[in-house]
Amino acid sequence: MVKAGILLMVLAGFGTQLFAQGGQTYAEKLGYPSGVKVVIFHVDDAGMSYESNTGTIRSIEEGVATSCSIMFPCPWAASFAQYALKEPMDAGVHLTLTSEWGHYRWHPVAGRDVVPTLIDSEGALWRSVEEVVKNASPDEIELEIRAQVERALALGLTPTHLDSHMGTLFYHAPFLERYIKVGAEYRIPVMFPGGNNKLLGLSMNDNLIKRLKREGKYQEGMDLPKNDLMVQAPEIGKKIWGLGLPVLDDLHSVSGNWKPEGNPTAEEWGKYKTERFKEVLLQMEPGLAMIIVHSNGDNDVFDRISGSGGSRYADMLAMIDPDLMKFIEAEGIMLTTWQEVMERRKRAQ
């Protein structure tokens, strides 16, 4: 997922000229009605675990989620890909360059001898984005993301899009360049927010405020540092659109931080997230937005992997909450998929 602030350093390498779209959103350029909010509810981390798979499937088949992406270095990726072929769904490649959990590790698809700068002393992918940026060569990054795409194709799956686990490919300009290059060569959309980015800005501010509060530096009403992303991202969006690929108007990715106070039950946590997603949809400007969640079906084993299981289960409960679907319908919000978005891009001028 894209985290607050991670694009700042990268985008500086792409210029600061604002992309003037002539007043059109990317949704309108894709042929969606003017003034309409178009949303991809997207489940990250399919294939990471059995629980990730069941949560993703329930979110899509029983809920409002319309798309997902698979972590192909992970043990349960092939199982999910097989399911996605049997029960067709909008599934992309969650390009994975980190292996961040304490005792649950995975390795590069290209092979450790092929991409030695991508692995740590245990032979697994680096644990943190910072270590990837410090150690990995752009050439080997490209080899690995191509290998992950090729694994999807070898399993019979045609990816509907590419995105980046932990936002790794957005931390370093040469990585982002390879990400866009590979997507263009394979004619696979690359997730990138190049429009109004209202939700992305709110997400970044939300994360920044949380960090400042942890550090004891935040005061109510204080002016937050200006984020150059709002100026720079449109220029990259223009470049991606010019390559024949679709572009998002906005992106939201911070539901993992949402938790009510106290010690909520799973159901209370899920309801809390449902209400927060409604708020996000109300804040959203007209255009095409992707809203990222991480859904688990249960946490019987997952709690041995990560402490994020409760939040992931709550994401799944929110996705299948009938109240969220009723809200979406009442607000006239259109749900779409990456597959539909790419088909529209092919027809767009």
Side-chain angles (χ1 to χ4, degrees):
M1 68 179 178
V2 179
K3 292 186 175 180
I6 65 175
L7 291 171
L8 299 181
M9 175 179 67
V10 175
L11 294 169
F14 285 83
T16 58
Q17 181 182 357
L18 184 63
F19 172 33
Q21 298 183 50
Q24 276 192 314
T25 65
Y26 279 110
E28 291 169 339
K29 291 164 75 73
L30 290 166
Y32 289 104
S34 177
V36 172
K37 298 178 181 181
V38 186
V39 174
I40 300 171
F41 271 107
H42 186 274
V43 188
D44 277 4
D45 293 0
M48 189 177 75
S49 68
Y50 175 78
E51 295 83 3
S52 304
N53 288 2
T54 56
T56 301
I57 292 165
R58 289 195 67 188
S59 296
I60 292 174
E61 294 187 347
E62 302 176 33
V64 301
T66 55
S67 182
C68 64
S69 55
I70 308 170
M71 298 174 69
F72 279 96
C74 297
W76 282 90
S79 175
F80 190 89
Q82 291 165 8
Y83 187 91
L85 290 169
K86 180 181 176 183
E87 303 289 339
M89 63 178 65
D90 195 78
V93 180
H94 199 44
L95 295 168
T96 302
L97 286 309
T98 57
S99 177
E100 61 273 14
W101 306 121
H103 302 288
Y104 182 61
R105 310 298 308 282
W106 46 79
H107 310 87
V109 172
R112 289 175 289 181
D113 292 338
V114 177
V115 288
T117 67
L118 270 59
I119 60 173
D120 64 11
S121 60
E122 296 181 358
L125 292 166
W126 293 105
R127 291 182 182 273
S128 69
V129 175
E130 291 75 14
E131 288 172 304
V132 179
V133 172
K134 179 180 178 181
N135 295 286
S137 78
D139 286 346
E140 291 183 19
I141 288 286
E142 182 175 340
L143 286 172
E144 178 59 19
I145 64 178
R146 286 181 182 276
Q148 293 182 23
V149 172
E150 287 293 336
R151 186 180 183 208
L153 295 170
L155 289 168
L157 187 73
T158 301
T160 58
H161 64 287
L162 306 177
D163 56 46
S164 179
H165 180 59
M166 300 292 290
T168 307
L169 293 167
F170 297 92
Y171 264 100
H172 189 39
F175 296 174
L176 183 59
E177 291 169 358
R178 303 305 176 96
Y179 169 65
I180 296 170
K181 173 187 175 184
V182 171
E185 288 186 13
Y186 280 89
R187 307 304 301 155
I188 300 174
V190 292
M191 186 280 291
F192 189 85
N196 63 73
N197 282 340
K198 179 180 180 181
L199 298 180
L200 183 59
L202 292 172
S203 298
M204 288 183 168
N205 285 342
D206 184 54
N207 279 339
L208 178 58
I209 290 171
K210 282 183 171 62
R211 180 174 63 80
L212 291 173
K213 284 183 175 179
R214 287 196 304 269
E215 296 171 355
K217 300 177 181 177
Y218 181 72
Q219 298 178 1
E220 291 295 333
M222 71 181 296
D223 291 331
L224 297 175
K226 180 176 174 58
N227 194 316
D228 291 339
L229 173 59
M230 302 307 122
V231 175
Q232 297 164 330
E235 185 63 25
I236 302 177
K238 179 181 178 180
K239 173 181 178 179
I240 294 170
W241 182 267
L243 292 170
L245 301 177
V247 179
L248 296 170
D249 288 296
D250 209 347
L251 176 70
H252 186 273
S253 64
V254 295
S255 69
N257 294 333
W258 295 345
K259 184 179 181 180
E261 294 183 3
N263 188 27
T265 66
E267 290 69 25
E268 290 169 341
W269 201 343
K271 276 293 183 183
Y272 177 80
K273 289 202 175 192
T274 293
E275 295 306 312
R276 293 295 302 269
F277 282 123
K278 291 179 183 179
E279 293 173 6
V280 167
L281 293 170
L282 288 174
Q283 291 172 324
M284 174 186 169
E285 297 288 342
L288 173 64
M290 179 163 137
I291 299 176
I292 296 174
V293 301
H294 300 81
S295 295
N296 270 12
D298 61 61
N299 293 313
D300 291 345
V301 176
F302 191 84
D303 285 340
R304 300 176 184 177
I305 298 173
S306 163
S308 64
S311 176
R312 291 169 183 259
Y313 186 65
D315 268 355
M316 188 274 293
L317 290 178
M319 290 296 97
I320 66 174
D321 190 335
D323 286 347
L324 185 55
M325 176 57 81
K326 290 177 183 177
F327 179 84
I328 289 169
E329 293 173 349
E331 291 293 319
I333 295 167
M334 296 179 63
L335 297 180
T336 191
T337 64
W338 276 105
Q339 183 176 13
E340 179 185 333
V341 166
M342 185 56 178
E343 289 301 318
R344 285 176 174 268
R345 178 65 188 94
K346 292 175 182 177
R347 299 192 298 268
Q349 296 297 318

